[in-house]
Amino acid sequence: MGAVRRDGAFVVSRGEGAYIWDAQGTRYLDATAGLWFANVGHGRTEIADAVARQLSTVAHFSNFGDFVPETTVGLADKLAEIAPVAGSKIFFTSGGSDSVDTAAKLARRYWTEVGKPGKRIVVGRQKAYHGMHVAGTALAGIPPNREGYGELMPDSRTVAWDDAKSLLELIERESAETVAAFFCEPIIGAGGVYLPPDGYLAEVREICREHDILFVVDEVVTGFGRIGGSWFASSRFDLEPDMVTTAKGLTSGYVPMGAVFIAPRVAEPFFAGGVWWRHGYTYGGHAGAAAAALANLAIIERENLLAESARLERSLHEHLSPLAEHPRVQEVRSGLGAVAAVQLADPAEALPFVKTMREHGICGRAAGVGAMQFSPPFVMTDEQVAEMAAGVRAALG
C-alpha cells in the first residue's frame, strides 16, 4: 500500500487479445493473462453479449434448496461432461478461494457422514497457494501469507512440495484415521511456478488411495486448458481426484465464478437422502456468470484453444529457457503447461523488475520468491511469445 501511495497505480484501461493498454494509451503484452485467467484473451464481445442477454432475462436467483437458474443447470451439465471423473457433481462458488474453503469443509463433513468423524486434518504443501480465505491461507505453504493472523485452522499441516515420502511420513506420524484430505496443485502457481517432479503426482495419489485420504486437486490455475492439451491436469495425468477446485479459466475472468467438481464417492452420502449440508454462497452459480462461462467454453472448443495451449507450452519453453544463460537469472522453469517462471538470481530485484519490463512493453508479475510469472492468454502467437522473451531479455540488460 505504501508503494502505491509513493509511486502511484498502474491503471489498465482496455484489452484486446494478448494486449492491454494503460490509461496513457501505451500498449503492453499481457504476460500473465491478468492473473492466470484470461485464457481466451481480452475484449471478447461474444462473452459480454451473452452476459447482457442473461442479465436482461434474469440476473440471478438463489441456488439454495431446490432453486437453480436454467442457465446454471446448463453449465453444470457441460462441466459434468468434461469432468476428470465421470459422474461428478458440480458445486458453484464465487471464485477460487471459495472453492478451496468449500472443499476443505466438505472433506471433513464427508468423513463425518461415513462414520469417521476423527478424520479432520487437511494437508497442503510448501510453496503452495490455495487462495486467501481461512482454510486456503492455513493450507498455503507461503509463510508471508500466513504471518500475523495467529493459528487459523489447528487441524492443518504442511509437507514438502516435491517429496511424496514427506506426505507418507506425516500420515504415519498423525495416523491415517485423523487425516481427511491432501490438497495438491498439479503445478505450483503463485508460489513460483514449480513443475511436479517426475512421478510425484501419481505417487501422492496412490498414497492417498492406500490410506483412505481424499485427494483434492487444486486446478484454479491449471483448469480449463492451462495445463496444455487437456481440460484439466487431473485428466492429463489420470489422477482420478475426489475433488477438483476451479475458477479463473472457467469464465476467463470475464465474471467472477468458481466450481468444485465432486466425485461420486464424496457426493453420494449427501444425495442418498436425509443429509443437509448447510453451506453455500449468495452468488454461487450466478446466472450471469454461468452465461459467461458457457460462452467462454464455447470459444475454447470452437477455436481449439486446448491445442493452442499445448503450442504455448512448447513456445514458452523454446523462447524463455535460453534466458537461463543470463547472469541475472538463476533458472527458467518451463516445459509443462502454458506457464513458465524466470527465477532471478537476486530475489530483491523482482518487484523493481516488474516495472522495468513495462518499460519494454511487457506487463508481468512477480511470483514466489524472486520469480517472474508467465501464463499468457491461449491466443498469444509464437511471434508474440518471441516478442515477450525479447522484452524480458532487454529488461535484464
Side-chain angles (χ1 to χ4, degrees), residues 229-240:
S230 301
W231 282 110
F232 301 97
S234 296
S235 300
R236 178 164 171 173
F237 293 105
D238 194 25
L239 298 179
E240 297 185 350

Side-chain angles (χ1 to χ4, degrees), residues 150-237:
E151 190 173 27
L152 293 173
M153 198 164 65
D155 293 330
S156 62
R157 304 288 187 272
T158 305
V159 297
W161 75 272
D162 57 349
D163 183 5
K165 291 183 176 60
S166 177
L167 173 62
L168 186 59
E169 290 169 358
L170 179 135
I171 294 168
E172 293 171 347
R173 185 168 63 249
E174 299 282 356
S175 165
E177 294 306 310
T178 67
V179 180
F182 175 57
F183 283 69
C184 180
E185 293 174 280
I187 294 174
I188 286 177
V193 189
Y194 287 89
L195 312 183
D198 289 344
Y200 173 83
L201 295 174
E203 190 171 356
V204 291
R205 179 63 184 105
E206 189 57 30
I207 288 171
C208 288
R209 186 177 285 118
E210 289 178 356
H211 293 84
D212 204 17
I213 293 166
L214 297 183
F215 186 56
V216 183
V217 182
D218 186 341
E219 297 222 41
V220 171
V221 166
T222 56
F224 304 104
R226 177 64 60 183
I227 194 63
S230 301
W231 282 110
F232 301 97
S234 296
S235 300
R236 178 164 171 173
F237 293 105

Side-chain angles (χ1 to χ4, degrees), residues 96-120:
S97 294
D98 282 1
S99 295
V100 170
D101 268 39
T102 294
K105 287 178 67 176
L106 182 56
R108 291 175 166 185
R109 182 63 188 274
Y110 165 79
W111 289 116
T112 297
E113 294 305 324
V114 298
K116 296 183 178 182
K119 291 172 80 68
R120 286 283 185 266

Side-chain angles (χ1 to χ4, degrees), residues 3 33 92 120 125 144 154 187 215 225 240 267 272 299 307 329 344 346 355 357 367 390:
F92 288 110
R120 286 283 185 266
R125 298 188 292 162
I187 294 174
F215 186 56
E240 297 185 350
I299 291 172
V329 175
L344 299 180
D346 182 359
K355 295 184 177 181
M357 286 198 302

